[in-house]
Amino acid sequence: MSRVDLLALTPDALARLANVGLVKRAQKELESGAAPTLAEEADGTVVATARDRAVTRLQPGFALRQTSCTCGASQVCRHRIAAVLAYQASKGSSAGSAAKPDAEWNPGTLTDEALLKCCGAEAMAQAAAAVARGLVVTLRPGRMGSDGQPTPPSVVLPTAAVQFLVPHDVAYAKCDCAKIQACEHVVLAVRAFRAGPREGGMLTLGGVAVAPVATSTGPSPTHAAIGDALLQLAQNGISAPGSSAKLMHARAAAQRDGWWWVVDTLESIERLIEAYHRQSALFRLSMLTREVGELAARVRASLKPDAPLPARYVLGSDTQGETPMEQVRLISLGVRLDGDDDRRMVRIYLADPDTATVLVLEKTWQGERRNGPELAALFASSRMSIADLARGELVTRAARRRANGALDLSAARGMKSSLLATSGSWGQLPEPVLVRDLKLHGERLKALPPRCLCPRGLGANVAVVQLGVPREIEVTGDGQAVTARVEDSVGNSLMLQTHHRQVSPGAVDTTAEALRAGATHVAGELRRTNGAWSMEPLAFLTQQIVVVDLNPQKRQIQDEAIDGESASASAPPTAAERLTAALEEYVGRTLLKGAKATQTAGARVAKEAEALSAHDLAMLCGRAAGGSAPALIDLAVLVELEQT
């Protein structure tokens, strides 16, 4: 009798259960003739004896981590992996061949008896309690990839992500929480597949859409604290006495209640205010408007008892402030450097292929004036430099993931973390991190709730786009910017633009050279304005990963128009676009200086709206210009929704 579970384990699945290095090492041992000797017992247990006399027992119904090996390793070791590969070879089967005919199996078919046997009664009870409270999950059904390898079905939960690596076998369901397997998240994932549509997507599992934080007499004290802070900003601006204190009070209340998306929004507003007072070039008026709009939108949505999204999802109270991750492989998508006088900041974007999310490692240096490649030599974490992290794959058992996707590697010392060189792995990333078709990507985003109500993530909009042939590349005469019009793999247009900054002196040259060298992929934050896609690149994939901000400045590259008109040519803004920009400017200035200081600007925007027959908007602008703080907050919400 063949062990179908062992035959179904692909090299990719084995790497997810261990790491790429161990899989490659086991493969090399088998290729060199050092395969273990195998024996099969009556109950189906496969016994493998390695050349170094380590004995591995692969029992049916147990995942690799739960099987025994005399080498003493507590994690999945090379002996276990070699035993699986040798067993597949002994059956004349290529790795993972048993999984291909059933790539689209539904984990919802797993029985409660199987869940109870694998996960235990405590995990079943914890899952039932979570369903009773209600949670929003995202289903990703399994399918056959373009490379002919099956993509396992998975579920993204508020606090974890679960993958089903072997069809019809719950023992190989892998979670990215510290337990790895046999946890309550596996039970929740199975129940989500039972309840969700076959094509996948978002759904609310259990519970009812009521705000657990509201009382029978009205909003909670935390709602009131946030409302006071918003009114203070709308009436008096960020510089008025008491504004900072009200924001801090609101953040403390939200943190106490575990409203992590609200906490993150308030922290972002406070950072923007601090940057404004320092007269920092990092301050963005548009960001202040949008963050205030998002904060107001979340609080209002959480108070609607008939809302389609549970308040726990909108506020972030169904997630955790910090989650330990047991075994994770992260693939770098590039780096963004920022500078402000003698302060330097870096964000390293790392894709987690298991959960199809992008995590961000942040680091700030005070009293630092180095730029570009000199700054890249600094250590970002545990003696791992920015440059190495920016171009490699990180395998670690010491990562902690914060609610907003920030990565904490402070415990990544000793043998708990390793950094591998990488090239070409972007093409194997899962959707939606990898985008081959921007049109389909846009349709997928339209199916989601408004961005201001979705979970916040530092890398939420960062993606890798597979490129076709670039149509135009243009560098300005002074070498201060490069603009390129490129296409994705199916011909949809994407505008790339890189500007010269002191902290990244070689960014313009690097972008132009990478495109001219025939880059196959580009990574960066995708933006869509009036249906047009744009990106400021973080990195390109050519023969290797080329990180835009870390390269030195070279000679100025001459303008090159590959085909058609100038890449920077664009149609003049429409009247509606000019109104949107004026509205965003008015709201932002009011949040800076207070309602009295911007009455004239508010009246002017109201007239522009009236001229376009936007009567409701004109009335709202008029009320805001007259000093109505709630009306200004309404406008901030509208501005944020316009960007969604």
Side-chain angles (χ1 to χ4, degrees):
M1 179 180 69
S2 295
R3 286 281 301 276
V4 176
D5 59 330
L6 299 182
L7 296 177
L9 286 169
T10 65
D12 182 64
L14 290 171
R16 293 170 193 246
L17 293 171
N19 61 64
V20 176
L22 284 181
V23 174
K24 290 183 177 180
R25 182 176 177 183
Q27 289 173 328
K28 288 181 179 179
E29 287 183 357
L30 267 65
E31 291 170 359
S32 67
T37 58
L38 301 178
E40 293 186 60
E41 298 180 346
D43 64 351
T45 297
V46 175
V47 182
T49 304
R51 290 288 182 90
D52 60 5
R53 298 184 180 181
V55 178
T56 302
R57 296 178 59 84
L58 306 179
Q59 302 102 318
F62 292 88
L64 286 187
R65 188 170 182 261
Q66 299 168 320
T67 58
S68 64
C69 182
T70 59
C71 75
S74 59
Q75 306 294 323
V76 177
C77 59
R78 80 177 195 280
H79 301 109
R80 293 174 171 95
I81 295 174
V84 172
L85 296 176
Y87 180 79
Q88 292 174 345
S90 72
K91 297 298 181 180
S93 170
S94 60
S97 62
K100 293 181 182 179
D102 202 12
E104 297 183 1
W105 78 283
N106 188 341
T109 58
L110 293 167
T111 65
D112 281 347
E113 290 75 12
L115 289 173
L116 180 61
K117 179 181 178 181
C118 179
C119 302
E122 183 178 356
M124 298 285 282
Q126 291 172 339
V131 171
R133 293 192 300 268
L135 66 161
V136 177
V137 303
T138 301
L139 300 183
R140 294 175 178 151
R143 59 179 178 79
M144 193 66 68
S146 58
D147 57 356
Q149 292 296 322
T151 298
S154 62
V155 177
V156 179
L157 303 163
T159 56
V162 178
Q163 294 178 298
F164 296 89
L165 299 179
V166 172
H168 311 289
D169 195 334
V170 70
Y172 286 92
K174 178 182 180 294
C175 183
D176 69 344
C177 75
K179 295 180 183 178
I180 300 181
Q181 289 163 317
C183 58
E184 70 274 15
H185 304 122
V186 172
V187 180
L188 287 170
V190 170
R191 293 188 176 178
F193 267 107
R194 291 177 186 173
R198 182 175 180 83
E199 64 272 16
M202 291 182 60
L203 77 149
T204 301
L205 185 63
V208 289
V210 297
V213 291
T215 67
S216 58
T217 58
S220 69
T222 304
H223 279 109
I226 296 169
D228 286 346
L230 286 170
L231 289 175
Q232 170 72 8
L233 293 182
Q235 289 173 337
N236 304 311
I238 62 176
S239 299
S243 294
S244 295
K246 286 184 179 293
L247 286 169
M248 291 175 62
H249 175 64
R251 176 165 52 83
Q255 192 159 5
R256 183 176 59 248
D257 288 347
W259 298 4
W260 298 114
W261 310 141
V262 173
V263 171
D264 194 57
T265 308
L266 286 164
E267 287 179 344
S268 180
I269 293 172
E270 289 179 301
R271 285 193 297 269
L272 285 167
I273 293 173
E274 191 264 343
Y276 173 74
H277 289 316
R278 287 192 292 106
Q279 298 182 331
S280 169
L282 301 178
F283 174 76
R284 295 289 184 273
L285 187 64
S286 60
M287 286 303 302
L288 178 63
T289 302
R290 291 181 55 186
E291 294 286 12
V292 170
E294 178 178 331
L295 178 62
R298 288 189 184 277
V299 172
R300 291 177 180 182
S302 71
L303 286 169
K304 293 184 178 295
D306 57 345
L309 295 172
R312 300 177 62 85
Y313 174 83
V314 172
L315 298 173
S317 57
D318 60 353
T319 188
Q320 297 176 357
E322 190 173 79
T323 302
M325 305 173 73
E326 175 61 22
Q327 169 91 12
V328 64
R329 177 173 68 103
L330 302 174
I331 300 171
S332 176
L333 303 184
V335 164
R336 178 64 71 227
L337 301 180
D338 275 310
D340 180 15
D341 193 25
D342 65 344
R343 180 184 302 192
R344 294 293 182 268
M345 291 78 73
V346 62
R347 280 187 175 183
I348 303 173
Y349 294 88
L350 300 157
D352 181 353
D354 288 355
T355 61
T357 56
V358 177
L359 305 180
V360 180
L361 178 62
E362 295 184 297
K363 182 80 172 180
T364 299
W365 292 268
Q366 295 284 357
E368 179 60 66
R369 295 182 180 274
R370 280 176 284 187
N371 299 313
E374 294 179 345
L375 187 63
L378 299 182
F379 291 138
S381 175
S382 185
R383 302 192 67 79
M384 291 182 284
S385 71
I386 297 172
D388 291 339
L389 281 166
R391 301 183 179 100
E393 292 187 15
L394 175 66
V395 178
T396 179
R397 292 188 290 112
R400 301 180 72 87
R401 179 188 62 224
R402 297 199 177 102
N404 65 354
L407 189 67
D408 181 1
L409 294 178
S410 59
R413 297 183 177 88
M415 299 300 292
K416 291 186 176 182
S417 295
S418 59
L419 198 56
L420 308 175
T422 183
S423 91
S425 55
W426 285 4
Q428 282 73 53
L429 288 170
E431 297 177 348
V433 177
L434 177 61
V435 177
R436 296 183 176 91
D437 186 334
L438 286 165
K439 183 178 179 181
L440 290 179
H441 184 67
E443 292 174 357
R444 182 165 48 236
L445 294 179
K446 285 182 180 178
L448 298 176
R451 183 172 55 191
C452 58
L453 301 182
C454 285
R456 285 173 65 92
L458 296 174
N461 300 317
V462 172
V464 173
V465 178
Q466 184 172 319
L467 296 177
V469 178
R471 296 208 305 262
E472 304 113 28
I473 304 172
E474 181 184 12
V475 181
T476 58
D478 58 4
Q480 295 297 297
V482 57
T483 304
R485 194 185 303 278
V486 299
E487 293 180 347
D488 65 15
S489 58
V490 297
N492 297 305
S493 181
L494 171 66
M495 182 72 75
L496 302 179
Q497 193 165 51
T498 298
H499 293 276
H500 174 80
R501 296 178 302 137
Q502 181 181 354
V503 73
S504 53
V508 171
D509 294 348
T510 301
T511 297
E513 285 188 348
L515 288 168
R516 294 174 68 190
T520 59
H521 298 76
V522 60
E525 184 176 352
L526 267 176
R527 301 183 181 92
R528 182 173 52 177
T529 305
N530 298 321
W533 291 98
S534 63
M535 175 188 286
E536 184 178 358
L538 293 167
F540 292 90
L541 181 62
T542 55
Q543 299 274 333
Q544 58 187 354
I545 293 179
V546 179
V547 184
V548 170
D549 281 6
L550 303 189
N551 283 358
Q553 186 173 20
K554 300 179 182 178
R555 61 181 177 82
Q556 288 192 2
I557 301 173
Q558 299 298 316
D559 294 4
E560 178 178 353
I562 293 181
D563 184 26
E565 299 178 357
S566 167
S568 59
S570 59
T574 64
E577 291 170 345
R578 290 196 300 270
L579 174 60
T580 300
L583 178 62
E584 183 177 2
E585 175 78 9
Y586 162 61
V587 175
R589 292 295 174 190
T590 306
L591 293 172
L592 281 183
K593 302 180 180 300
K596 291 183 179 179
T598 57
Q599 286 179 320
T600 302
R604 184 168 58 250
V605 175
K607 288 182 180 180
E608 292 179 14
E610 190 67 47
L612 291 176
S613 299
H615 304 301
D616 291 342
L617 178 59
M619 289 179 60
L620 194 58
C621 290
R623 287 168 48 207
S628 171
L632 186 84
I633 296 171
D634 288 344
L635 292 176
V637 173
L638 286 175
V639 170
E640 169 59 19
L641 289 173
E642 181 68 23
Q643 302 295 326
T644 300

